Amino acid sequence: MSKPLVVSIPHNLGREEAVRRMKNGLAGARTQYGHLLTVNEETWNDSQLTFRVTALAQAVSGVIDVADDHVRLEVMLPWLLAKLAERAQAVIGDKGRLMLEKK
């Protein structure tokens, strides 16, 4: 089992606005990357999202916690995807910042 991939993205939007933008951004990501991944489970509980997806025939699960001043993603990657984790961490951070910066 590999270590979890953790990405923390600071913001100054407040929790409610950050959750709204994350929900909108994730809906767009499902459309944009639907050919690469399948969302098996997506459950919002207040400001926390628990999810399971299949990407490149690999099961991935994780949690997104939205706080007043940051968003924290923790995802467990199978060994195959863990090899790409460093690159994925930068891409996830960049895409997350874009979701939170759009007005």
Side-chain angles (χ1 to χ4, degrees):
M1 184 64 109
S2 60
K3 294 186 333 185
L5 171 69
V6 177
V7 178
S8 184
I9 304 165
H11 67 80
N12 58 4
L13 301 170
R15 188 180 311 232
E16 275 187 43
E17 179 62 13
V19 167
R20 186 188 71 73
R21 291 187 188 194
M22 290 299 298
K23 286 180 179 180
N24 289 340
L26 291 171
R30 276 193 304 278
T31 301
Q32 185 175 0
Y33 299 107
H35 62 287
L36 295 176
L37 61 88
T38 301
V39 178
N40 303 315
E41 175 188 336
E42 181 179 322
T43 306
W44 279 95
N45 184 7
D46 192 31
S47 59
Q48 182 182 68
L49 170 65
T50 303
F51 64 90
R52 284 185 315 110
V53 299
T54 303
L56 303 173
Q58 301 290 308
V60 176
S61 62
V63 176
I64 297 175
D65 286 304
V66 181
D68 290 334
D69 62 350
H70 71 282
V71 173
R72 183 179 185 276
L73 164 72
E74 182 173 325
V75 62
M76 294 303 295
L77 298 172
W79 70 270
L80 180 63
L81 294 178
K83 291 185 176 279
L84 305 171
E86 188 174 305
R87 169 103 173 95
Q89 191 170 18
V91 170
I92 292 167
D94 290 344
K95 295 291 184 184
R97 274 185 282 287
L98 287 174
M99 279 186 219
L100 295 170
E101 289 174 359
K102 288 182 181 175
K103 297 192 179 198

